[in-house]
Amino acid sequence: MVALAGVAPQTETSHIPIETMRSMAVILLVAYHVVGSGRGTGLDIAYPNVLRLYADFFLDVRMPFFAFIAGYVYALRPLSLRNYGDFVSGKCRRLLVPGVIAVAAFLLVAHLVGTQFAMPLQLIWRPFVFGYAHFWFLQSILVIFVCYGLLDAVLRGRFALVALVGSIIFYIAEWRFSTSVFSINGAVYLLPYFLLGLVFCRHTAEIWAEAERLTLLLLVVALACAFWNIRQLIETGTFSLDTRDLQSLLFGLSVCALAFLWCPRLPLLERLGPYAFTIYLYHVFGTVAVRMAADGAGIASTDLRFILGIVGGLAIPIGLHRFAQRVPALGAMMLGRR
């Protein structure tokens, strides 16, 4: 069978472009928040502007992409009951502590600027317990690490495929917890993508053996879901914003898998990799600062404001990251580094 896309799929784990994929996910996230999630946010761009189309079309890929990568990276280091405690404490140090600091900073800035994310003083605790802004993902992925990590350790890494199928069944059945504490329902949403990344890591040889046939299947599924969404656009004037339906699941899974198989390594893009977590936490500070500066400078061009917003959403967190690295105590808290 003729190789697709003009290049051969990756054949060795060391060549899998995880850092390129991580950087792509970061750029997708920053671009989305530059455009805004809807009316009154970001650049306040409405349909049928091409940037609005771009932002909403990839709604089913952005956070699933992060979850897929997290699952793959998790699977690189087998977890056992003996090291489970160290694993959880490490995740809390690496993710929870920097997340708490970022949420506190976000709350302060939201209060000072007067954005929709500002909270009354009596409810200031809620963002640390429930989903808040884009930080819901951090809570959800921690729930997955803690809960599935324990199950995985007990089962000694077996039955990952069974777990993946089970997570998809729960997803399709729209099963939800009655509480939203620590974005636990977000964990249900992300789990299939996390487990797909895990399965791709643990069954790499089998997947490469069927890479071309699998690619054809994935392309069919991805295109079918894309046309499904395009039909929604034609009929209603907007893409579907429901991220929990079957179309979203199949599109997200197929695109993640295709990226794993066919995405080339892009060294220039991979330079963002070491800053990915900091960009995730603090990119909104950059996008908002640039938007306010553009307002003050009277810049009216939407395209220029979009480009400047992406630059600011990447550059300011990178600068913050480099500054924190120079101060050991600050780096330990903000970056999760020892």
Side-chain angles (χ1 to χ4, degrees), residues 127-153:
F128 299 97
V129 180
F130 299 96
Y132 175 68
H134 60 289
F135 300 107
W136 70 269
F137 177 87
L138 189 58
Q139 296 178 337
S140 296
I141 206 68
L142 276 169
V143 169
I144 291 176
F145 280 137
V146 172
C147 296
Y148 184 78
L150 178 59
L151 178 63
D152 195 41

PDB file of all heavy atoms in Angstrom, residues 127-153:
ATOM      1  N   PRO A 127     -12.704  28.538  43.034  1.00  0.00           N
ATOM      2  CA  PRO A 127     -11.817  28.155  41.931  1.00  0.00           C
ATOM      3  C   PRO A 127     -10.772  27.105  42.296  1.00  0.00           C
ATOM      4  O   PRO A 127     -10.220  26.452  41.417  1.00  0.00           O
ATOM      5  CB  PRO A 127     -11.144  29.482  41.553  1.00  0.00           C
ATOM      6  CG  PRO A 127     -12.132  30.524  41.960  1.00  0.00           C
ATOM      7  CD  PRO A 127     -12.709  29.997  43.233  1.00  0.00           C
ATOM      8  N   PHE A 128     -10.492  26.959  43.601  1.00  0.00           N
ATOM      9  CA  PHE A 128      -9.511  25.964  44.018  1.00  0.00           C
ATOM     10  C   PHE A 128     -10.140  24.591  44.228  1.00  0.00           C
ATOM     11  O   PHE A 128      -9.429  23.602  44.397  1.00  0.00           O
ATOM     12  CB  PHE A 128      -8.834  26.422  45.315  1.00  0.00           C
ATOM     13  CG  PHE A 128      -8.103  27.725  45.182  1.00  0.00           C
ATOM     14  CD1 PHE A 128      -8.704  28.913  45.562  1.00  0.00           C
ATOM     15  CD2 PHE A 128      -6.822  27.767  44.666  1.00  0.00           C
ATOM     16  CE1 PHE A 128      -8.043  30.128  45.446  1.00  0.00           C
ATOM     17  CE2 PHE A 128      -6.152  28.975  44.531  1.00  0.00           C
ATOM     18  CZ  PHE A 128      -6.758  30.157  44.926  1.00  0.00           C
ATOM     19  N   VAL A 129     -11.457  24.528  44.207  1.00  0.00           N
ATOM     20  CA  VAL A 129     -12.180  23.279  44.456  1.00  0.00           C
ATOM     21  C   VAL A 129     -12.955  22.816  43.227  1.00  0.00           C
ATOM     22  O   VAL A 129     -13.062  21.612  42.961  1.00  0.00           O
ATOM     23  CB  VAL A 129     -13.141  23.440  45.653  1.00  0.00           C
ATOM     24  CG1 VAL A 129     -13.900  22.149  45.929  1.00  0.00           C
ATOM     25  CG2 VAL A 129     -12.368  23.874  46.893  1.00  0.00           C
ATOM     26  N   PHE A 130     -13.483  23.759  42.466  1.00  0.00           N
ATOM     27  CA  PHE A 130     -14.280  23.443  41.282  1.00  0.00           C
ATOM     28  C   PHE A 130     -13.578  23.976  40.034  1.00  0.00           C
ATOM     29  O   PHE A 130     -12.618  24.733  40.115  1.00  0.00           O
ATOM     30  CB  PHE A 130     -15.680  24.054  41.404  1.00  0.00           C
ATOM     31  CG  PHE A 130     -16.467  23.546  42.573  1.00  0.00           C
ATOM     32  CD1 PHE A 130     -16.490  24.253  43.771  1.00  0.00           C
ATOM     33  CD2 PHE A 130     -17.175  22.359  42.483  1.00  0.00           C
ATOM     34  CE1 PHE A 130     -17.211  23.777  44.861  1.00  0.00           C
ATOM     35  CE2 PHE A 130     -17.904  21.874  43.553  1.00  0.00           C
ATOM     36  CZ  PHE A 130     -17.919  22.594  44.747  1.00  0.00           C
ATOM     37  N   GLY A 131     -14.079  23.572  38.881  1.00  0.00           N
ATOM     38  CA  GLY A 131     -13.493  24.027  37.629  1.00  0.00           C
ATOM     39  C   GLY A 131     -13.583  25.541  37.492  1.00  0.00           C
ATOM     40  O   GLY A 131     -14.602  26.146  37.806  1.00  0.00           O
ATOM     41  N   TYR A 132     -12.507  26.137  36.997  1.00  0.00           N
ATOM     42  CA  TYR A 132     -12.444  27.601  36.869  1.00  0.00           C
ATOM     43  C   TYR A 132     -11.586  27.944  35.662  1.00  0.00           C
ATOM     44  O   TYR A 132     -10.424  27.517  35.555  1.00  0.00           O
ATOM     45  CB  TYR A 132     -11.835  28.191  38.138  1.00  0.00           C
ATOM     46  CG  TYR A 132     -11.593  29.683  38.116  1.00  0.00           C
ATOM     47  CD1 TYR A 132     -12.654  30.584  38.102  1.00  0.00           C
ATOM     48  CD2 TYR A 132     -10.297  30.189  38.119  1.00  0.00           C
ATOM     49  CE1 TYR A 132     -12.434  31.941  38.081  1.00  0.00           C
ATOM     50  CE2 TYR A 132     -10.056  31.554  38.115  1.00  0.00           C
ATOM     51  CZ  TYR A 132     -11.134  32.429  38.091  1.00  0.00           C
ATOM     52  OH  TYR A 132     -10.905  33.786  38.079  1.00  0.00           O
ATOM     53  N   ALA A 133     -12.187  28.714  34.738  1.00  0.00           N
ATOM     54  CA  ALA A 133     -11.485  29.116  33.513  1.00  0.00           C
ATOM     55  C   ALA A 133     -10.866  27.883  32.849  1.00  0.00           C
ATOM     56  O   ALA A 133     -11.464  26.808  32.830  1.00  0.00           O
ATOM     57  CB  ALA A 133     -10.440  30.183  33.851  1.00  0.00           C
ATOM     58  N   HIS A 134      -9.651  28.017  32.335  1.00  0.00           N
ATOM     59  CA  HIS A 134      -9.014  26.883  31.659  1.00  0.00           C
ATOM     60  C   HIS A 134      -8.325  25.932  32.630  1.00  0.00           C
ATOM     61  O   HIS A 134      -7.825  24.876  32.218  1.00  0.00           O
ATOM     62  CB  HIS A 134      -7.991  27.387  30.635  1.00  0.00           C
ATOM     63  CG  HIS A 134      -6.887  28.217  31.238  1.00  0.00           C
ATOM     64  ND1 HIS A 134      -7.093  29.490  31.721  1.00  0.00           N
ATOM     65  CD2 HIS A 134      -5.582  27.950  31.441  1.00  0.00           C
ATOM     66  CE1 HIS A 134      -5.951  29.977  32.179  1.00  0.00           C
ATOM     67  NE2 HIS A 134      -5.015  29.060  32.034  1.00  0.00           N
ATOM     68  N   PHE A 135      -8.357  26.262  33.926  1.00  0.00           N
ATOM     69  CA  PHE A 135      -7.671  25.432  34.920  1.00  0.00           C
ATOM     70  C   PHE A 135      -8.425  24.139  35.228  1.00  0.00           C
ATOM     71  O   PHE A 135      -7.902  23.287  35.943  1.00  0.00           O
ATOM     72  CB  PHE A 135      -7.456  26.235  36.202  1.00  0.00           C
ATOM     73  CG  PHE A 135      -6.625  27.470  36.002  1.00  0.00           C
ATOM     74  CD1 PHE A 135      -7.207  28.726  36.027  1.00  0.00           C
ATOM     75  CD2 PHE A 135      -5.260  27.383  35.770  1.00  0.00           C
ATOM     76  CE1 PHE A 135      -6.455  29.875  35.835  1.00  0.00           C
ATOM     77  CE2 PHE A 135      -4.490  28.521  35.574  1.00  0.00           C
ATOM     78  CZ  PHE A 135      -5.091  29.774  35.607  1.00  0.00           C
ATOM     79  N   TRP A 136      -9.647  24.000  34.700  1.00  0.00           N
ATOM     80  CA  TRP A 136     -10.379  22.763  34.914  1.00  0.00           C
ATOM     81  C   TRP A 136      -9.589  21.552  34.414  1.00  0.00           C
ATOM     82  O   TRP A 136      -9.655  20.463  34.999  1.00  0.00           O
ATOM     83  CB  TRP A 136     -11.737  22.802  34.202  1.00  0.00           C
ATOM     84  CG  TRP A 136     -11.642  22.753  32.707  1.00  0.00           C
ATOM     85  CD1 TRP A 136     -11.566  23.816  31.857  1.00  0.00           C
ATOM     86  CD2 TRP A 136     -11.572  21.579  31.889  1.00  0.00           C
ATOM     87  NE1 TRP A 136     -11.460  23.375  30.549  1.00  0.00           N
ATOM     88  CE2 TRP A 136     -11.463  22.006  30.541  1.00  0.00           C
ATOM     89  CE3 TRP A 136     -11.591  20.215  32.158  1.00  0.00           C
ATOM     90  CZ2 TRP A 136     -11.373  21.110  29.482  1.00  0.00           C
ATOM     91  CZ3 TRP A 136     -11.500  19.322  31.107  1.00  0.00           C
ATOM     92  CH2 TRP A 136     -11.401  19.765  29.788  1.00  0.00           C
ATOM     93  N   PHE A 137      -8.844  21.754  33.330  1.00  0.00           N
ATOM     94  CA  PHE A 137      -8.074  20.643  32.761  1.00  0.00           C
ATOM     95  C   PHE A 137      -7.045  20.132  33.763  1.00  0.00           C
ATOM     96  O   PHE A 137      -6.831  18.913  33.867  1.00  0.00           O
ATOM     97  CB  PHE A 137      -7.372  21.098  31.481  1.00  0.00           C
ATOM     98  CG  PHE A 137      -6.494  20.031  30.871  1.00  0.00           C
ATOM     99  CD1 PHE A 137      -7.019  19.107  29.995  1.00  0.00           C
ATOM    100  CD2 PHE A 137      -5.140  19.954  31.196  1.00  0.00           C
ATOM    101  CE1 PHE A 137      -6.213  18.116  29.437  1.00  0.00           C
ATOM    102  CE2 PHE A 137      -4.333  18.975  30.655  1.00  0.00           C
ATOM    103  CZ  PHE A 137      -4.876  18.052  29.771  1.00  0.00           C
ATOM    104  N   LEU A 138      -6.413  21.031  34.482  1.00  0.00           N
ATOM    105  CA  LEU A 138      -5.403  20.645  35.451  1.00  0.00           C
ATOM    106  C   LEU A 138      -6.012  19.775  36.541  1.00  0.00           C
ATOM    107  O   LEU A 138      -5.432  18.753  36.936  1.00  0.00           O
ATOM    108  CB  LEU A 138      -4.767  21.898  36.057  1.00  0.00           C
ATOM    109  CG  LEU A 138      -3.533  21.708  36.935  1.00  0.00           C
ATOM    110  CD1 LEU A 138      -2.433  21.022  36.168  1.00  0.00           C
ATOM    111  CD2 LEU A 138      -3.059  23.049  37.472  1.00  0.00           C
ATOM    112  N   GLN A 139      -7.187  20.157  37.036  1.00  0.00           N
ATOM    113  CA  GLN A 139      -7.873  19.354  38.039  1.00  0.00           C
ATOM    114  C   GLN A 139      -8.242  17.983  37.477  1.00  0.00           C
ATOM    115  O   GLN A 139      -8.023  16.951  38.120  1.00  0.00           O
ATOM    116  CB  GLN A 139      -9.128  20.076  38.522  1.00  0.00           C
ATOM    117  CG  GLN A 139      -8.858  21.379  39.250  1.00  0.00           C
ATOM    118  CD  GLN A 139     -10.141  22.074  39.672  1.00  0.00           C
ATOM    119  OE1 GLN A 139     -11.201  21.845  39.101  1.00  0.00           O
ATOM    120  NE2 GLN A 139     -10.044  22.926  40.669  1.00  0.00           N
ATOM    121  N   SER A 140      -8.805  17.965  36.281  1.00  0.00           N
ATOM    122  CA  SER A 140      -9.269  16.717  35.684  1.00  0.00           C
ATOM    123  C   SER A 140      -8.126  15.744  35.424  1.00  0.00           C
ATOM    124  O   SER A 140      -8.250  14.545  35.681  1.00  0.00           O
ATOM    125  CB  SER A 140     -10.008  17.004  34.375  1.00  0.00           C
ATOM    126  OG  SER A 140     -11.173  17.748  34.602  1.00  0.00           O
ATOM    127  N   ILE A 141      -7.012  16.239  34.917  1.00  0.00           N
ATOM    128  CA  ILE A 141      -5.904  15.339  34.607  1.00  0.00           C
ATOM    129  C   ILE A 141      -5.271  14.806  35.883  1.00  0.00           C
ATOM    130  O   ILE A 141      -4.780  13.667  35.928  1.00  0.00           O
ATOM    131  CB  ILE A 141      -4.860  16.040  33.700  1.00  0.00           C
ATOM    132  CG1 ILE A 141      -4.087  14.994  32.881  1.00  0.00           C
ATOM    133  CG2 ILE A 141      -3.921  16.910  34.492  1.00  0.00           C
ATOM    134  CD1 ILE A 141      -4.897  14.295  31.842  1.00  0.00           C
ATOM    135  N   LEU A 142      -5.307  15.595  36.951  1.00  0.00           N
ATOM    136  CA  LEU A 142      -4.820  15.103  38.245  1.00  0.00           C
ATOM    137  C   LEU A 142      -5.714  13.985  38.778  1.00  0.00           C
ATOM    138  O   LEU A 142      -5.221  12.997  39.332  1.00  0.00           O
ATOM    139  CB  LEU A 142      -4.740  16.252  39.252  1.00  0.00           C
ATOM    140  CG  LEU A 142      -3.470  17.101  39.200  1.00  0.00           C
ATOM    141  CD1 LEU A 142      -3.628  18.349  40.057  1.00  0.00           C
ATOM    142  CD2 LEU A 142      -2.272  16.298  39.674  1.00  0.00           C
ATOM    143  N   VAL A 143      -7.022  14.138  38.611  1.00  0.00           N
ATOM    144  CA  VAL A 143      -7.950  13.076  39.008  1.00  0.00           C
ATOM    145  C   VAL A 143      -7.636  11.796  38.244  1.00  0.00           C
ATOM    146  O   VAL A 143      -7.620  10.690  38.817  1.00  0.00           O
ATOM    147  CB  VAL A 143      -9.411  13.512  38.758  1.00  0.00           C
ATOM    148  CG1 VAL A 143     -10.365  12.318  38.914  1.00  0.00           C
ATOM    149  CG2 VAL A 143      -9.803  14.609  39.734  1.00  0.00           C
ATOM    150  N   ILE A 144      -7.358  11.911  36.950  1.00  0.00           N
ATOM    151  CA  ILE A 144      -7.024  10.733  36.145  1.00  0.00           C
ATOM    152  C   ILE A 144      -5.728  10.103  36.631  1.00  0.00           C
ATOM    153  O   ILE A 144      -5.630   8.880  36.800  1.00  0.00           O
ATOM    154  CB  ILE A 144      -6.914  11.117  34.658  1.00  0.00           C
ATOM    155  CG1 ILE A 144      -8.294  11.489  34.111  1.00  0.00           C
ATOM    156  CG2 ILE A 144      -6.318   9.969  33.847  1.00  0.00           C
ATOM    157  CD1 ILE A 144      -8.270  11.983  32.674  1.00  0.00           C
ATOM    158  N   PHE A 145      -4.715  10.919  36.867  1.00  0.00           N
ATOM    159  CA  PHE A 145      -3.441  10.389  37.343  1.00  0.00           C
ATOM    160  C   PHE A 145      -3.617   9.628  38.654  1.00  0.00           C
ATOM    161  O   PHE A 145      -3.090   8.514  38.819  1.00  0.00           O
ATOM    162  CB  PHE A 145      -2.432  11.527  37.549  1.00  0.00           C
ATOM    163  CG  PHE A 145      -1.779  12.008  36.284  1.00  0.00           C
ATOM    164  CD1 PHE A 145      -1.606  13.368  36.062  1.00  0.00           C
ATOM    165  CD2 PHE A 145      -1.324  11.116  35.330  1.00  0.00           C
ATOM    166  CE1 PHE A 145      -0.994  13.817  34.898  1.00  0.00           C
ATOM    167  CE2 PHE A 145      -0.712  11.559  34.165  1.00  0.00           C
ATOM    168  CZ  PHE A 145      -0.543  12.912  33.949  1.00  0.00           C
ATOM    169  N   VAL A 146      -4.339  10.221  39.588  1.00  0.00           N
ATOM    170  CA  VAL A 146      -4.487   9.610  40.909  1.00  0.00           C
ATOM    171  C   VAL A 146      -5.340   8.348  40.843  1.00  0.00           C
ATOM    172  O   VAL A 146      -4.969   7.304  41.392  1.00  0.00           O
ATOM    173  CB  VAL A 146      -5.092  10.627  41.906  1.00  0.00           C
ATOM    174  CG1 VAL A 146      -5.435   9.943  43.223  1.00  0.00           C
ATOM    175  CG2 VAL A 146      -4.119  11.782  42.137  1.00  0.00           C
ATOM    176  N   CYS A 147      -6.483   8.427  40.174  1.00  0.00           N
ATOM    177  CA  CYS A 147      -7.433   7.304  40.174  1.00  0.00           C
ATOM    178  C   CYS A 147      -7.024   6.201  39.209  1.00  0.00           C
ATOM    179  O   CYS A 147      -6.922   5.032  39.605  1.00  0.00           O
ATOM    180  CB  CYS A 147      -8.835   7.805  39.841  1.00  0.00           C
ATOM    181  SG  CYS A 147      -9.501   8.949  41.068  1.00  0.00           S
ATOM    182  N   TYR A 148      -6.773   6.560  37.958  1.00  0.00           N
ATOM    183  CA  TYR A 148      -6.388   5.507  37.029  1.00  0.00           C
ATOM    184  C   TYR A 148      -4.987   4.994  37.350  1.00  0.00           C
ATOM    185  O   TYR A 148      -4.695   3.802  37.145  1.00  0.00           O
ATOM    186  CB  TYR A 148      -6.438   5.983  35.572  1.00  0.00           C
ATOM    187  CG  TYR A 148      -6.122   4.840  34.642  1.00  0.00           C
ATOM    188  CD1 TYR A 148      -7.087   3.886  34.345  1.00  0.00           C
ATOM    189  CD2 TYR A 148      -4.843   4.684  34.101  1.00  0.00           C
ATOM    190  CE1 TYR A 148      -6.800   2.796  33.539  1.00  0.00           C
ATOM    191  CE2 TYR A 148      -4.542   3.595  33.287  1.00  0.00           C
ATOM    192  CZ  TYR A 148      -5.525   2.659  33.009  1.00  0.00           C
ATOM    193  OH  TYR A 148      -5.227   1.574  32.218  1.00  0.00           O
ATOM    194  N   GLY A 149      -4.123   5.867  37.853  1.00  0.00           N
ATOM    195  CA  GLY A 149      -2.787   5.422  38.227  1.00  0.00           C
ATOM    196  C   GLY A 149      -2.833   4.311  39.257  1.00  0.00           C
ATOM    197  O   GLY A 149      -2.080   3.326  39.171  1.00  0.00           O
ATOM    198  N   LEU A 150      -3.720   4.435  40.242  1.00  0.00           N
ATOM    199  CA  LEU A 150      -3.852   3.390  41.257  1.00  0.00           C
ATOM    200  C   LEU A 150      -4.370   2.097  40.631  1.00  0.00           C
ATOM    201  O   LEU A 150      -3.841   1.009  40.897  1.00  0.00           O
ATOM    202  CB  LEU A 150      -4.801   3.858  42.366  1.00  0.00           C
ATOM    203  CG  LEU A 150      -5.079   2.846  43.483  1.00  0.00           C
ATOM    204  CD1 LEU A 150      -3.786   2.434  44.177  1.00  0.00           C
ATOM    205  CD2 LEU A 150      -6.069   3.428  44.489  1.00  0.00           C
ATOM    206  N   LEU A 151      -5.403   2.207  39.794  1.00  0.00           N
ATOM    207  CA  LEU A 151      -5.940   1.016  39.123  1.00  0.00           C
ATOM    208  C   LEU A 151      -4.881   0.369  38.244  1.00  0.00           C
ATOM    209  O   LEU A 151      -4.732  -0.864  38.225  1.00  0.00           O
ATOM    210  CB  LEU A 151      -7.152   1.419  38.275  1.00  0.00           C
ATOM    211  CG  LEU A 151      -7.810   0.303  37.453  1.00  0.00           C
ATOM    212  CD1 LEU A 151      -8.377  -0.767  38.367  1.00  0.00           C
ATOM    213  CD2 LEU A 151      -8.892   0.874  36.544  1.00  0.00           C
ATOM    214  N   ASP A 152      -4.140   1.179  37.534  1.00  0.00           N
ATOM    215  CA  ASP A 152      -3.098   0.675  36.646  1.00  0.00           C
ATOM    216  C   ASP A 152      -2.003  -0.043  37.429  1.00  0.00           C
ATOM    217  O   ASP A 152      -1.477  -1.083  36.996  1.00  0.00           O
ATOM    218  CB  ASP A 152      -2.510   1.841  35.853  1.00  0.00           C
ATOM    219  CG  ASP A 152      -1.696   1.382  34.652  1.00  0.00           C
ATOM    220  OD1 ASP A 152      -2.122   0.444  33.962  1.00  0.00           O
ATOM    221  OD2 ASP A 152      -0.629   1.977  34.410  1.00  0.00           O
ATOM    222  N   ALA A 153      -1.666   0.509  38.597  1.00  0.00           N
ATOM    223  CA  ALA A 153      -0.648  -0.122  39.432  1.00  0.00           C
ATOM    224  C   ALA A 153      -1.139  -1.467  39.965  1.00  0.00           C
ATOM    225  O   ALA A 153      -0.389  -2.444  39.993  1.00  0.00           O
ATOM    226  CB  ALA A 153      -0.277   0.804  40.591  1.00  0.00           C
TER     227      ALA A 153
END
